[in-house]
């Protein structure tokens, strides 16, 4: 149950907290004892047998899991410093995945809290599979309803200090996956302009790296090594 932003711009603790905190940091500091109880950190990877599902869609959401809001091209709230852009272009730019960024999760089945993260290699692979499987036209609203009129027109990985993401005000690590999206859906565009929708969140299928490794069948070399170890142990008895 992490800190969530309220409609009035303040933050609350979980679903039932009061909207009294001015920033996420203030909210987390006030509830740090709860965060300290959360010790599990899980690396997520792409399963070899379900690569087409790695990034099935991108969702426009109120509270992005990566805690980074998008910037959009518009004349009423023009937050781009390098150019004045016609609102009719209806474009937004946002990070989709940030490497090694710890993302809070709650498992209702076990009532346990944990964090997940993605390595730079997984972020890059996910971005490539997203385009390879033609998912650039798939989008949802608040991880629920599939919506039309949302298209990813650019996708890139930040590779250095000269990356164009800095033009949009971002200072994120190398390896961050950025997207530029065109919004032709009138209802969604109005929600973006009004500040109701603030960022993007991915939808896809990933697996726990440790669980994947434990389920992986041993190679012939690993089997021979294990047999040799057993023989050596028997010879010493």
């Amino acid at each position: 149950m992490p800190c969530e932003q309220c409609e009035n711009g303040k933050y609350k603790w979980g679903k039932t907290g009061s909207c009294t905190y001015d920033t996420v940091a203030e909210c987390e500091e006030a509830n740090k004892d709860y965060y300290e109880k959360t010790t599990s950190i899980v690396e997520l990877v792409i399963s070899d047998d379900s690569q087409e599902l790695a990034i099935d869609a991108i969702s426009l959401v109120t509270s992005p899991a990566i805690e980074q809001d998008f910037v959009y091209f518009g004349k009423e709230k023009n937050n781009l410093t390098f150019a004045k852009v016609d609102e009719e272009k209806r474009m937004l730019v946002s990070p989709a995945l940030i490497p090694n960024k710890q993302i809070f999760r709650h498992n209702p089945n076990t009532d346990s809290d944990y964090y997940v993260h993605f390595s730079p290699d997984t972020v890059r692979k996910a971005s490539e599979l997203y385009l390879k499987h033609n998912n650039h036209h798939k989008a949802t609203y608040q991880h629920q309803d599939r919506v039309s009129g949302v298209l990813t027109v650019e996708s890139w990985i930040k590779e250095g200090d000269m990356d164009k993401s800095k033009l949009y005000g971002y200072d994120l690590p190398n390896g961050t996956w950025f997207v530029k999206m065109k919004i032709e859906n009138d209802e969604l565009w109005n929600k973006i302009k009004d500040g109701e929708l603030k960022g993007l969140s991915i939808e896809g299928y990933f697996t726990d790296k440790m669980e994947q490794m434990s389920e992986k069948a041993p190679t012939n070399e690993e089997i021979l090594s294990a047999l040799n170890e057993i023989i050596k142990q028997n010879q010493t008895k």
Side-chain angles (χ1 to χ4, degrees):
M1 120 182 10
C3 296
E4 297 184 1
Q5 190 167 29
C6 307
E7 293 183 358
N8 63 0
K10 290 185 177 293
Y11 293 83
K12 64 179 180 179
W13 177 246
K15 299 293 184 183
T16 59
S18 300
C19 302
T20 57
Y21 303 106
D22 292 327
T23 64
V24 172
E26 182 182 339
C27 176
E28 291 179 347
E29 175 64 23
N31 297 277
K32 63 181 181 181
D33 290 342
Y34 186 89
Y35 268 102
E36 290 172 354
K37 296 176 183 177
T38 307
T39 57
S40 179
I41 301 176
V42 178
E43 180 182 347
L44 297 184
V45 295
I46 298 171
S47 175
D48 291 335
D49 57 2
S50 60
Q51 292 191 359
E52 70 279 5
L53 300 177
I55 303 292
D56 182 57
I58 292 180
S59 189
L60 289 92
V61 297
T62 302
S63 301
I66 58 174
E67 299 175 344
Q68 287 285 332
D69 295 352
F70 50 57
V71 295
Y72 72 87
F73 299 72
K75 59 186 179 183
E76 284 97 346
K77 298 179 181 177
N78 183 18
N79 45 16
L80 301 181
T81 59
F82 68 98
K84 196 160 188 174
V85 184
D86 187 346
E87 180 189 352
E88 292 306 313
K89 291 190 175 182
R90 293 192 176 191
M91 298 283 191
L92 64 82
V93 175
S94 176
L97 272 180
I98 303 172
N100 302 318
K101 170 75 175 180
Q102 293 184 9
I103 303 171
F104 181 88
R105 286 291 179 264
H106 177 76
N107 187 338
N109 296 323
T110 60
D111 192 28
S112 59
D113 300 330
Y114 62 104
Y115 288 92
V116 299
H117 68 99
F118 301 87
S119 72
D121 287 342
T122 298
V123 171
R124 177 177 292 276
K125 186 175 181 181
S127 72
E128 293 170 352
L129 291 172
Y130 171 70
L131 297 179
K132 177 181 178 181
H133 294 287
N134 198 33
N135 291 330
H136 62 286
H137 64 286
K138 296 181 180 179
T140 64
Y141 170 68
Q142 299 283 33
H143 289 298
Q144 296 177 6
D145 301 325
R146 183 64 62 91
V147 293
S148 60
V150 179
L151 179 69
T152 298
V153 295
E154 287 188 40
S155 171
W156 76 93
I157 299 291
K158 179 181 177 182
E159 295 181 335
D161 291 338
M162 300 299 292
D163 188 79
K164 65 180 179 181
S165 61
K166 290 201 170 184
L167 294 174
Y168 304 108
Y170 292 111
D171 187 16
L172 293 173
N174 289 339
T176 297
W177 174 25
F178 285 93
V179 294
K180 179 185 284 188
M181 307 184 82
K182 184 173 180 63
I183 312 297
E184 296 180 328
N185 185 304
D186 292 339
E187 182 179 358
L188 290 179
W189 185 248
N190 287 329
K191 290 180 182 294
I192 290 170
K193 290 197 303 178
D194 293 340
E196 179 179 340
L197 295 176
K198 298 181 180 296
L200 305 180
S201 184
I202 64 167
E203 293 184 3
Y205 179 78
F206 295 86
T207 60
D208 183 325
K209 182 178 181 179
M210 295 304 294
E211 289 183 1
Q212 185 184 67
M213 291 176 65
S214 66
E215 295 173 357
K216 186 178 179 181
T219 63
N220 291 335
E221 290 77 8
E222 290 171 335
I223 293 174
L224 288 174
S225 177
L227 289 174
N228 286 332
E229 186 64 27
I230 293 173
I231 292 172
K232 288 180 182 179
Q233 290 178 356
N234 289 334
Q235 289 175 342
T236 58
K237 290 182 179 180

